[in-house]
Amino acid sequence: MTVWLPDWLRHYRQEWLAGDVSAGVLVALLLVPQGLAYALVAGLPPQVGLYASLLPLLLYALLGRSHAQSVGPMAVTSLLVAASLAKLGLGSAGDYLLAAIWLALLSGAMLLLFGLLRLGFLADVLSEPVLAGFTAASALLIVLSQLGPLAGFRATGASLPAIVDNLWLHAGNYSQPALLLGLPALLLLWWARSGLPRLLHAWRLHGLLLAILSRGLPMLVLAGSMLLVAWLGWQGQLPQVGRIPAGLPAISLPALPASGLAALVLPAFFIALINYVQSLSVAQLLAIPRRETVDPDRELLALGACNLGAGLCGGFPVTGGLTRSIVNAEAGANTQLASLITMAMIAALLAWGSGLLASLPLSVLAATIMAAVAPQVRLQPLLQAWRADRSDAIAFAVTFLLVLWLGVDSGIIAGVVISLAAWLMKSSRPHMAELGLLPGGSHFRNVQRYPQCQTLPGVLILRIDESLYFGNARHVRDALLARLAAERQVHTLLLVMSAVNRVDVTALAMLQRLDETLAERGIRLQLAEVKGPVWDVMLGAGLAERFTGRVHLSTYAGWQALTPAPDFHI
């Protein structure tokens, strides 16, 4: 029976228990306000965020490999859900909820399928600049969307123009009690990110007490706001969470939404993609200090099961949360037992304490969201990319602006297109360097960077720094012919293939036509450092025989073969 248990449970040590318990309690204090708040971001009843935090924690503990990954609702995912469902024109809150549940089920099924097919490389579809631009713009949209709830009115819109227009229309409909509670809560939570830890350190507080006071402050703020509402008699003067159904959610397959499933397939795919990239990034970050490795395909399976579990519990899509997972690790989590403790505390709250949340002011929940999400509006990656690679900086900026202007659902599609277009643009114009021999050795370098390099008369040695495929074959051929036209009295072109990892049929056809064209001009084409996989493709296509006697094991071997024999005179 133990073979079905996860590794951490089969090899559990007693000394891990204290760290797991403290981390589980602390993450529960953080996850409760986040779950409630992120459900509101998605346009769902607040308890749905807690429902989505139950089975995913259990399933990841059984199937996941990260010791401290905490799976549950996330801000960007919630905004994606809201943006996707807003375009469907659903007529009732019930249809909206069913559609959100099916987004979790569909994205979970997709992730499971991707895991079974070992498609872990899907995480590479989004480049780092595009993902950073998407995250920063999404975080900014979330912050702006909470200005309405902070002031006591409901704000809609999934793009910057829509949010600004909605805020303008409701400019005079604010609630003074909501602002009096929300603004101080926002300032307190913002100060707690940096000022509170310094103050607690000055008071010589350390360990678990320090973590609870600093990380558990959002829960304390929520509790304090409910007490203030009751003390001041503001129950009917500002929006509140309202009655939350008591008890745990039933595990069942929901009815189909009125919109049907076809309209949800594409949004579910992009939600699955973003959630997977987020979860895998968090797992890899947590694995570095422990010198562990992360299996992307295993993470796909685990995250897929978590989303299916969220949907069966009546929740919406979930992923690994960066803030919660880091808090979990820093609080001492040694295994996924910490997540099971978190789940047990949330389940206990739903079963016996849900009535305590009814008077919770939505303006304070909005402040919680804004304080948690605002640090993700980071433009430093844009500046770093601008200094390193202008094309990456453009990708960041374009994604950022498109997400703001069009919304996160259209922005993520644009982000994928930009990532692929940027890769295609770079790989379609590969760098080619003329090589020369460094004096006194057998090493070759770019003659433009190392002017002291030696060259052979009549021989042009060029290194292609990219794999050859249909997207760059024509450009490589034209660039080589243009280079030879500029060089006079070249009788041999030696192509160094050390950076060519793959070739396709289009590239092989290009090499054959290039060889024929050069032969007509009296120029002999030779190859050096052809890798095994590339040579196998050439063999299969029948091109290897054509270059028999013209392929060198190394660039230096080609140099020696092309060096004229010394002319001795007696």
Side-chain angles (χ1 to χ4, degrees):
M1 288 294 293
T2 58
V3 71
W4 299 104
L5 297 176
D7 288 342
W8 65 264
L9 190 54
R10 283 189 283 126
H11 304 100
Y12 198 83
R13 300 178 185 175
Q14 185 176 356
E15 59 266 25
W16 293 344
L17 183 60
D20 285 339
V21 171
S22 62
V25 172
L26 185 57
V27 173
L29 295 176
L30 186 63
L31 183 52
V32 169
Q34 284 190 351
L36 296 170
Y38 294 155
L40 295 176
V41 171
L44 298 166
Q47 67 269 18
V48 175
L50 299 182
Y51 295 165
S53 305
L54 291 173
L55 267 185
L57 289 170
L58 172 63
L59 291 171
Y60 190 86
L62 297 177
L63 301 175
R65 295 292 175 83
S66 174
H67 75 288
Q69 176 95 282
S70 179
V71 178
M74 274 296 296
V76 173
T77 302
S78 300
L79 187 60
L80 270 170
V81 170
S84 300
L85 298 185
K87 295 186 175 181
L88 299 182
L90 299 169
S92 67
D95 287 337
Y96 190 96
L97 176 58
L98 282 177
I101 293 173
W102 274 101
L103 279 178
L105 293 172
L106 289 174
S107 62
M110 290 178 185
L111 289 167
L112 272 179
L113 178 62
F114 297 157
L116 292 173
L117 296 177
R118 304 187 68 81
L119 301 181
F121 65 86
L122 285 173
D124 302 325
V125 172
L126 289 172
S127 66
E128 187 66 29
V130 166
L131 186 60
F134 171 80
T135 302
S138 300
L140 181 56
L141 286 178
I142 292 172
V143 170
L144 294 175
S145 70
Q146 295 307 301
L147 290 175
L150 186 74
F153 62 86
R154 178 174 174 78
T156 58
S159 64
L160 183 60
I163 292 174
V164 170
D165 183 59
N166 188 269
L167 291 174
W168 178 259
L169 289 175
H170 294 84
N173 299 333
Y174 65 89
S175 165
Q176 187 174 1
L179 285 173
L180 289 175
L181 288 175
L183 287 177
L186 177 60
L187 294 175
L188 179 60
L189 291 170
W190 185 262
W191 168 78
R193 300 189 63 86
S194 56
L196 181 59
R198 289 198 300 266
L199 179 62
L200 295 177
H201 278 296
W203 290 350
R204 301 180 182 274
L205 294 178
H206 304 284
L208 182 59
L209 181 59
L210 171 64
I212 290 176
L213 290 175
S214 59
R215 301 296 188 178
L217 186 63
M219 194 67 179
L220 297 176
V221 169
L222 296 186
S225 67
M226 289 187 288
L227 292 175
L228 276 175
V229 168
W231 181 52
L232 297 173
W234 285 351
Q235 286 86 347
Q237 301 182 40
L238 76 170
Q240 296 170 273
V241 167
R243 190 182 70 86
I244 290 180
L248 299 176
I251 299 177
S252 62
L253 187 66
L256 293 177
S259 62
L261 295 184
L264 300 176
V265 172
L266 188 60
F269 170 76
F270 286 111
I271 288 173
L273 177 63
I274 288 296
N275 283 350
Y276 172 53
V277 172
Q278 169 75 18
S279 181
L280 182 62
S281 300
V282 173
Q284 290 172 334
L285 181 65
L286 295 173
I288 292 174
R290 296 164 64 100
R291 299 183 180 179
E292 296 174 344
T293 57
V294 176
D295 182 355
D297 298 315
R298 180 74 179 202
E299 289 300 307
L300 274 172
L301 292 172
L303 190 61
C306 290
N307 277 275
L308 286 178
L312 293 175
C313 274
F316 59 104
V318 295
T319 186
L322 177 61
T323 302
R324 288 194 308 270
S325 298
I326 292 178
V327 168
N328 200 24
E330 291 179 349
N334 295 297
T335 69
Q336 280 294 322
L337 178 61
S339 291
L340 297 182
I341 294 171
T342 299
M343 181 197 70
M345 294 185 65
I346 295 174
L349 176 65
L350 284 169
W352 299 296
S354 59
L356 299 174
L357 302 174
S359 60
L360 180 59
L362 295 186
S363 63
V364 178
L365 271 182
T368 303
I369 297 171
M370 296 171 75
V373 174
Q376 297 182 39
V377 186
R378 299 174 61 247
L379 298 181
Q380 294 91 331
L382 174 61
L383 301 178
Q384 294 171 354
W386 185 260
R387 291 192 294 264
D389 190 331
R390 298 291 172 86
S391 62
D392 283 340
I394 292 173
F396 179 103
V398 171
T399 304
F400 183 86
L401 294 175
L402 286 177
V403 170
L404 286 181
W405 195 257
L406 301 177
V408 288
D409 51 344
S410 301
I412 189 57
I413 296 175
V416 173
V417 172
I418 291 170
S419 292
L420 296 177
W423 169 78
L424 184 62
M425 181 181 68
K426 291 179 180 179
S427 62
S428 66
R429 300 290 188 270
H431 175 259
M432 285 185 284
E434 180 181 354
L435 303 184
L437 179 65
L438 286 173
S442 59
H443 298 289
F444 289 80
R445 293 292 184 269
N446 189 335
V447 296
Q448 292 185 347
R449 295 179 180 271
Y450 296 85
Q452 69 272 31
C453 286
Q454 301 171 358
T455 59
L456 288 175
V459 177
L460 181 62
I461 304 175
L462 291 179
R463 186 189 67 220
I464 303 175
D465 292 336
E466 182 63 70
S467 292
L468 298 175
Y469 71 110
F470 66 91
N472 62 16
R474 181 184 59 81
H475 173 78
V476 169
R477 178 181 180 275
D478 292 345
L480 290 173
L481 292 177
R483 184 64 180 268
L484 288 169
E487 300 283 345
R488 296 305 180 101
Q489 299 179 349
V490 172
H491 56 75
T492 301
L493 172 62
L494 177 61
L495 287 184
V496 179
M497 310 275 281
S498 57
V500 178
N501 299 316
R502 293 174 303 278
V503 292
D504 64 2
V505 174
T506 304
L508 294 180
M510 179 273 292
L511 285 175
Q512 181 174 343
R513 289 193 296 269
L514 177 66
D515 187 38
E516 294 169 351
T517 301
L518 294 182
E520 294 173 357
R521 300 181 183 183
I523 300 175
R524 188 172 175 84
L525 175 62
Q526 302 198 18
L527 308 177
E529 301 190 34
V530 180
K531 293 184 175 180
V534 174
W535 185 250
D536 291 340
V537 176
M538 294 177 67
L539 278 172
L543 194 62
E545 297 179 1
R546 182 183 185 91
F547 284 92
T548 299
R550 292 187 283 156
V551 179
H552 305 282
L553 186 62
S554 66
T555 307
Y556 188 66
W559 173 279
Q560 290 179 313
L562 295 172
T563 301
D567 187 12
F568 293 101
H569 297 280
I570 301 178

